[in-house]
Amino acid sequence: MLKKYLLSILFVVVQQMTYGQSREIVNFNQGWQFILEDDLSFRNYAYNDKNWKSIALPHDWSIGFDFDEKYPAGNAGGALPGGIGWYRKTFDLPTLDSNKQFFIQFGGIYRYSELWINGIYLGKNINGYLSFEKELTKHLNFGTKTNVIAVRVDNSLQPNSRWYSGSGIYRDVKLEKRSTSYLLKNETVITTPQVNTKESIVNISAKTAGKDLLAKVEILDVKGKVLATKEKNVVNNSIQTSIKLSDINLWSPNNPYLYKLKISLFNNKKVIVDELNYNVGLREFEFDDKFGFTLNGISTKILGVCLHHDLGALGAAFNKSAAKRQLIIMKEMGVNAIRTAHNPPAEELLDLCDELGLLVYNEAYDMWKKRKNKFDYNIDFDEHHISDLENFIKRDRNKTSVFMWSIGNEIREQFDSTGIKLTQNMSRTVKALDPTRPVTSALTETEYVKNFIAQAEALDVLGFNYKYFDYDKLKTQFKNTPLLAAETTSALQTRGVYQTPHDTIQYWPASSKDKYVVNGNSDYTVTAYDNVSAYWGTSHERAWIEVKKRDFLSGIFVWSGIDFLGEPVPYAYPARSSYYGIVDLAGLPKDVYYMYQSEWTNKEVLHVLPHWNWKKGDTIDVWCYYNNADYVELFLNGKSLGKSTKTADVLHASWKIPFESGEIKVVKYRNGKEIQQVVRKTAGSLSDIQVEVEHEKYATGDATDLYFVTVSLKDDKGNLVTEDDIKLEFHADENCDVIGTDNGYQADLNSLSKSKRKTFKGYAVGYVMKKDINKVGNLIIKTKLGTKEIRL
Ligand code: GAL
C-alpha cells in the first residue's frame, strides 16, 4: 500500500514538474482524509484516520449538503452549513531528498486554518481567499518513517459572508522541493515600462536565497524560440536587468499573445539550482477622465462583468476547466474584463485570463473595519489588512491580465473620516509593491464632501456602483479623476421563465423598506424579460445604455456575469442562489446574454424570446435581440406581423401578439437582403432527451478537466419541450465520477452534488470527471423515457 502510494507521488512529480530540474512542484491534491468534526487529537502524528472519508482536493464540504434554512449563514450565504473540519494527509519522502527544502502551498482555505506537520504546530492562516506557504523542512521524516500533515479548518463563526463562501481546502495544494539556493517567487517583479510594437522594454527584478549565484533571464516567443538572453551575477541576493524586444506582438483581449520569461539560477559551478517561468504579455493602458480607457493606444470601452468565486454545482472547490468554461462563456458574449468580486481569486483563474485575453479588476476586500456581517473580515482587519494586501499584490503583480487593484467594495468607511487614512495607507501599500497599475475602490457615495475614500485623494480611478442618474454629476464632484461604472444593473431573472412584462421596470424589492419582494411569484422565479431589478439597480439595457453614451466612463462591470450561490434577492428561503446572472448557475445563458452579444461583439446575432409553448388566448410579447441589420420582421405561421427595430434607447425589437400554435419566425435584413432567421415552434409531447457533451473546448490539460453534459428535452421533431420537466439520473461507470448536477433553478433544494436532478424549463447539466483520463468512461442517463448511454 505504502509503496504504491509512493509510486503515485513520484509519477505526479514527473507530470507536474514545471519549474525545471531543481525546483519540483508536486500537485498535492490527492490522498487526503477528511472529517467534519473537531478534536485536537486529530493533529497528533499517531492518530488513526483510516475511518475518515478519503477525498481529493480542492474540496468544499458545504456543497455536499441539501439546502436548509436552519444553517446560520442564511439564504444570503447559500443556505448551507459551515462548521469545523479536519484534513490529514500521509506522505513519504525519499532519503535522497533529506538535503532539500520543502514548502507546502495552499491556494486558499476557507476560513481559519491551522496546520501541523508530524504533530508540530506550523501556525494559523486568517484570510480565506489568499494563498499561503509554510516551510516544512525542519520537521520532516525521510526514508521509512512517514509524514503526516494535519489541517484544522474553522468556518464555524457564521454569518461571515454576504454570499456563499464554501468551506475547506477549496483550492489547489502543492508541495515544493527546492535546493538551498532558490528564487523567491513572490519577490520577482516584471514590468514593461515601454511597450510598442517596434521596441518594448521588459524590466526584471528578482531576489534569491543562497550565495555565489548567477542568473540567466531569457524571453521566448510562443514557439519557444529564445528572443533575448541576459546573464547577471546575483549581487546582495538580488537581480536587476532589462531586456529590449523589437517587432513585438502586443497582448490584448483580441490577441492574448504571451511571451515566456524564464529566470534560471546557477551556482558557482554553473549547475542550475532553480528556475521560474512566467507568462508575460506586452500591453499598455491609460485611464483618462474625459476619454475613458485606452488599451495599446486604442480607445476601448471596458466591457466587464462581476464574478464571484463559486463554480455553481462545484461550490467553491476550484476546477480549472469549470473556471475556463465560465470565462469562455463570458468572452463569447463580448466581455473583455472581469471583476473578481470581492476577493482575491484562485491564482489559476488569473492564468486563464492571461491566456484567454481578459482584463482583471482584482479586488482585495468587501469590508474594512466596519462590518457587513457580524463575523466577517472586520474582526481581523486591524491586525491583517496591510500584510494581506501585500501578499495579494505580490502573488498577482506579474499577471498580465491584472490591470487594476481594488482595495474595497462599497466600504462603509467611505461615509466617515476614518476612510481617509485607511485609503491612503492601503493605496501606499499597493503602490510600493506595484507602481504600474491604478488603485481603485468601488464606491456608492456620489457627493465628494460625503465620500471620505475619495477625499483621501489617493486613488487613481474611482469606481461607482449603481446610481446611473448621478453619472453626469460625478464629473463635477470628482474632478480630474478617471471614472468607471464599477458595478451596475442588479437585474433579476430566472432562465426560461416568461411573464408578460409591464412597460416599466419593476423593482423587487421595491425599496429599502422591504427586505423581500412583496408580491413575487409563488415558485420563487423571476421573469427573464429584462424588466425586473433590485431597487438599487436597473435593467440590463438601461445600465448599458447609460455607460455606453458617456465617453468619460471607462467602462462597465455588470452585476453579475453568472448566477452564484447565495444572495438570492428578491426572495427569502427557499431561494438560495442569485438571480443576477446573465447566465444561470448551471452555465446556461438567459436571453439577455444575446443583448450583450449583439452590442459587444460583431458576431451575427439574432435571438428571439420567448419559447412558443403557450395556451390559446394568451397574448405574448415577442422580443428579439439582433445586430448588424436595418430591421427584423416577425412571421406567425407564415404571416408577417410587421417589422421592428431597436433604437438608441431600447436595445431589442418587440411585438405583442396573440398566441397561435405553430411557429414564429424572425428574419433579419441588411441592405434589403435576408441575413439570418430564427424559428420557434410549438413543441409536441416530450419524446426524447438530447445530450450534448462539452470537454475539449474547456480542457486545460489537467487530469481534473470536466465533461459538461447538457441534457435538453425534445419532442419527436427536435423542438425544445419547456413545460414538462422530468427527473434525470446520472449513473457513471467506475472510471467516472458525477461531481454535481444543476438546472439553474434558484429554489431547487436538492444538494447540487447529487447525481439526480429534475430538469428546469427543459434543461439540466451534469459535471463528470474521469478517474483515468486515458480510459473511456461510460455515463448512463436514466429518465422515464428510457436510458441513454454516453461514452466520454
Ligand atoms: C452591490 C454589491 C454586490 C451585490 C450587489 C447585489 O451593492 O456590491 O456585492 O451585493 O449589490 O445587487
Side-chain angles (χ1 to χ4, degrees):
M1 180 66 200
L2 192 66
K3 215 168 179 186
K4 197 171 147 213
Y5 183 56
L6 236 175
L7 260 179
S8 76
I9 286 214
L10 287 177
F11 175 73
V12 179
V13 174
V14 175
Q15 292 275 303
Q16 302 284 334
M17 205 164 70
T18 53
Y19 287 167
Q21 298 153 351
S22 49
R23 179 183 302 229
E24 284 174 16
I25 300 186
V26 182
N27 175 320
F28 222 44
N29 287 339
Q30 302 299 318
W32 290 78
Q33 298 291 94
F34 171 72
I35 193 163
L36 190 52
E37 279 176 28
D38 187 28
D39 189 319
L40 267 189
S41 67
F42 297 164
R43 71 191 159 167
N44 296 343
Y45 179 74
Y47 183 83
N48 184 347
D49 58 28
K50 82 170 188 313
N51 293 328
W52 293 14
K53 194 172 170 200
S54 299
I55 55 131
L57 304 177
H59 177 251
D60 169 7
W61 76 65
S62 305
I63 197 68
F65 286 79
D66 286 336
F67 297 93
D68 202 308
E69 65 186 320
K70 71 180 181 211
Y71 300 124
N75 74 335
L80 288 169
I84 300 177
W86 282 76
Y87 296 83
R88 284 170 60 95
K89 179 176 163 91
T90 304
F91 61 102
D92 297 293
L93 295 166
T95 318
L96 208 68
D97 276 344
S98 55
N99 62 343
K100 299 281 189 221
Q101 318 213 42
F102 286 83
F103 301 81
I104 190 160
Q105 296 168 347
F106 291 88
I109 302 182
Y110 204 90
R111 190 188 180 200
Y112 297 121
S113 56
E114 289 178 280
L115 274 73
W116 290 263
I117 178 75
N118 297 331
I120 297 153
Y121 188 59
L122 285 178
K124 188 167 181 170
N125 187 59
I126 300 294
N127 189 309
Y129 293 109
L130 279 174
S131 316
F132 64 96
E133 173 178 281
K134 296 272 182 212
E135 182 163 6
L136 306 178
T137 319
K138 281 196 298 214
H139 315 295
L140 290 172
N141 302 315
F142 296 87
T144 49
K145 194 166 181 202
T146 203
N147 295 287
V148 180
I149 181 135
V151 185
R152 177 182 188 265
V153 183
D154 182 350
N155 190 18
S156 61
L157 288 178
Q158 299 270 352
N160 63 46
S161 178
R162 296 191 302 113
W163 55 86
Y164 174 74
S165 64
S167 312
I169 309 180
Y170 69 101
R171 290 184 186 153
D172 282 340
V173 179
K174 293 172 187 150
L175 184 71
E176 226 179 78
K177 181 174 98 182
R178 299 176 205 156
S179 70
T180 41
S181 298
Y182 56 88
L183 289 152
L184 308 179
K185 191 173 173 216
N186 276 355
E187 300 301 328
T188 305
V189 186
I190 301 164
T191 55
T192 52
Q194 179 184 314
V195 172
N196 64 59
T197 46
K198 283 214 185 84
E199 187 176 87
S200 294
I201 297 173
V202 183
N203 283 348
I204 301 105
S205 151
K207 294 216 164 86
T208 63
K211 284 197 193 115
D212 289 339
L213 300 164
L214 176 83
K216 181 163 93 177
V217 181
E218 291 163 284
I219 296 189
L220 295 82
D221 68 10
V222 274
K223 294 196 185 108
K225 187 177 155 210
V226 179
L227 302 177
T229 306
K230 279 266 170 99
E231 289 192 15
K232 289 279 235 182
N233 283 323
V234 178
V235 180
N236 294 332
N237 286 111
S238 91
I239 305 156
Q240 311 281 342
T241 191
S242 184
I243 291 183
K244 266 193 195 141
L245 291 174
S246 47
D247 294 328
I248 62 134
N249 290 294
L250 296 173
W251 182 97
S252 72
N254 294 333
N255 179 39
Y257 190 98
L258 292 171
Y259 292 88
K260 276 257 162 336
L261 191 147
K262 190 199 268 192
I263 312 177
S264 314
L265 203 60
F266 300 86
N267 64 15
N268 55 11
K269 295 189 189 84
K270 294 277 166 66
V271 175
I272 186 159
V273 290
D274 199 8
E275 181 183 306
L276 287 176
N277 284 286
Y278 295 88
N279 282 328
V280 178
L282 298 169
R283 83 285 185 268
E284 62 157 11
F285 57 85
E286 220 182 312
F287 284 88
D288 181 273
D289 61 322
K290 290 187 193 61
F291 306 112
F293 181 67
T294 305
L295 180 64
N296 299 330
I298 300 167
S299 166
T300 305
K301 201 81 160 174
I302 298 162
L303 306 173
V305 289
C306 301
L307 293 178
H308 268 312
H309 71 303
D310 75 73
L311 295 168
L314 309 183
F318 187 78
N319 176 282
K320 202 166 175 190
S321 64
K324 187 170 178 183
R325 175 173 177 250
Q326 289 200 334
L327 295 175
I328 288 182
I329 291 171
M330 289 293 100
K331 218 178 139 98
E332 287 180 349
M333 184 177 93
V335 157
N336 61 18
I338 62 159
R339 174 174 171 206
T340 64
H342 303 291
N343 48 259
E347 190 180 345
E348 293 79 5
L349 184 103
L350 299 176
D351 293 335
L352 285 169
C353 291
D354 284 358
E355 287 159 24
L356 294 170
L358 283 163
L359 296 159
V360 179
Y361 172 121
N362 206 1
E363 191 145 73
Y365 299 123
D366 189 46
M367 79 298 294
W368 293 347
K369 180 78 188 143
K370 294 198 164 163
R371 73 190 197 198
K372 293 184 178 173
N373 268 297
K374 187 163 179 206
F375 297 111
D376 64 27
Y377 187 73
N378 80 82
I379 51 185
D380 301 309
F381 182 81
D382 279 345
E383 200 181 330
H384 293 276
H385 73 282
I386 293 293
S387 56
D388 281 354
L389 197 56
E390 285 172 343
N391 291 336
F392 171 49
I393 307 295
K394 285 184 173 188
R395 190 196 69 169
D396 293 349
R397 64 186 161 182
N398 294 320
K399 306 289 181 193
T400 300
S401 52
V402 174
F403 80 131
M404 318 182 71
W405 303 110
S406 164
I407 55 172
N409 172 59
E410 298 190 355
I411 296 298
R412 302 245 193 275
E413 282 83 348
Q414 78 188 292
F415 305 110
D416 76 76
S417 58
T418 61
I420 295 183
K421 266 243 133 43
L422 287 169
T423 306
Q424 288 167 343
N425 285 344
M426 278 190 262
S427 180
R428 198 179 312 119
T429 303
V430 176
K431 284 169 187 291
L433 296 170
D434 179 17
T436 72
R437 294 177 179 86
V439 184
T440 192
S441 182
L443 309 168
T444 50
E445 176 50 67
T446 55
E447 272 182 54
Y448 185 82
V449 290
K450 294 188 189 156
N451 190 324
F452 293 90
I453 289 183
Q455 283 178 47
E457 296 289 351
L459 299 179
D460 307 293
V461 176
L462 295 179
F464 283 89
N465 291 5
Y466 305 95
K467 299 190 179 168
Y468 67 82
F469 36 80
D470 278 351
Y471 282 164
D472 289 326
K473 184 171 110 184
L474 298 178
K475 271 198 304 187
T476 46
Q477 286 290 317
F478 306 92
K479 286 202 193 87
N480 305 325
T481 312
L483 299 167
L484 177 69
E487 199 180 308
T488 66
T489 317
S490 279
L492 308 167
Q493 301 177 333
T494 303
R495 174 189 53 76
V497 170
Y498 304 98
Q499 286 161 326
T500 303
H502 294 243
D503 291 335
T504 53
I505 182 145
Q506 298 175 49
Y507 297 106
W508 286 15
S511 75
S512 57
K513 284 191 216 108
D514 300 320
K515 189 161 180 211
Y516 304 114
V517 56
V518 177
N519 286 313
N521 295 336
S522 58
D523 61 356
Y524 303 93
T525 59
V526 180
T527 178
Y529 288 107
D530 180 18
N531 74 314
V532 181
S533 88
Y535 67 83
W536 54 90
T538 186
S539 66
H540 289 275
E541 288 192 18
R542 174 61 38 218
W544 165 232
I545 287 167
E546 297 300 335
V547 176
K548 181 184 180 181
K549 66 186 181 199
R550 292 180 169 86
D551 287 346
F552 69 88
L553 290 176
S554 304
I556 185 172
F557 284 94
V558 182
W559 191 270
S560 64
I562 300 179
D563 276 342
F564 52 90
L565 288 160
E567 211 186 24
V569 171
Y571 292 115
Y573 187 86
R576 46 59 170 173
S577 53
S578 83
Y579 295 74
Y580 294 120
I582 299 165
V583 166
D584 78 11
L585 197 69
L588 303 171
K590 302 177 188 175
D591 296 286
V592 79
Y593 181 91
Y594 301 96
M595 186 280 283
Y596 288 104
Q597 202 176 49
S598 72
E599 289 282 311
W600 290 2
T601 76
N602 278 323
K603 293 177 197 168
E604 291 288 349
V605 177
L606 181 66
H607 178 80
V608 177
L609 60 148
H611 56 71
W612 207 237
N613 305 318
W614 303 97
K615 292 192 305 296
K616 213 175 158 44
D618 288 345
T619 299
I620 306 299
D621 285 282
V622 176
W623 284 27
C624 168
Y625 295 122
Y626 70 92
N627 59 0
N628 307 335
D630 303 318
Y631 59 87
V632 286
E633 186 171 6
L634 173 68
F635 297 86
L636 173 61
N637 292 328
K639 201 172 122 228
S640 172
L641 296 186
K643 296 167 181 165
S644 178
T645 54
K646 57 180 189 180
T647 66
D649 215 44
V650 180
L651 301 179
H652 62 274
S654 68
W655 303 261
K656 200 179 265 303
I657 64 170
F659 174 71
E660 204 176 88
S661 177
E663 66 166 49
I664 50 170
K665 179 172 80 179
V666 176
V667 182
K668 161 171 147 182
Y669 298 91
R670 184 160 66 231
N671 300 330
K673 279 207 201 93
E674 179 181 329
I675 302 293
Q676 261 181 303
Q677 56 165 269
V678 168
V679 177
R680 299 251 179 272
K681 291 188 179 168
T682 309
S685 51
L686 176 63
S687 75
D688 199 6
I689 61 166
Q690 184 181 307
V691 181
E692 195 198 335
V693 180
E694 288 175 301
H695 176 69
E696 286 302 314
K697 186 174 177 183
Y698 307 127
T700 70
D702 280 7
T704 57
D705 283 348
L706 295 171
Y707 291 76
F708 302 91
V709 183
T710 304
V711 178
S712 53
L713 307 184
K714 300 286 166 155
D715 71 3
D716 60 351
K717 297 197 181 64
N719 298 309
L720 181 71
V721 176
T722 56
E723 307 305 306
D724 191 10
D725 286 310
I726 58 168
K727 287 190 189 129
L728 310 174
E729 283 179 30
F730 290 76
H731 294 271
D733 70 2
E734 64 283 353
N735 192 33
C736 297
D737 278 327
V738 179
I739 307 289
T741 59
D742 193 5
N743 56 22
Y745 176 39
Q746 291 101 342
D748 184 333
L749 296 180
N750 283 329
S751 161
L752 292 168
S753 302
K754 288 203 172 126
S755 50
K756 292 183 187 166
R757 181 79 36 203
K758 197 172 172 192
T759 57
F760 182 76
K761 298 291 172 190
Y763 287 99
V765 176
Y767 302 82
V768 182
M769 195 187 287
K770 269 197 206 172
K771 290 184 182 135
D772 181 344
I773 49 169
N774 299 311
K775 287 199 191 129
V776 171
N778 284 301
L779 178 72
I780 292 171
I781 302 175
K782 285 192 187 161
T783 68
K784 66 178 185 187
L785 303 169
T787 56
K788 272 231 159 135
E789 196 172 328
I790 291 112
R791 278 166 78 83
L792 303 175

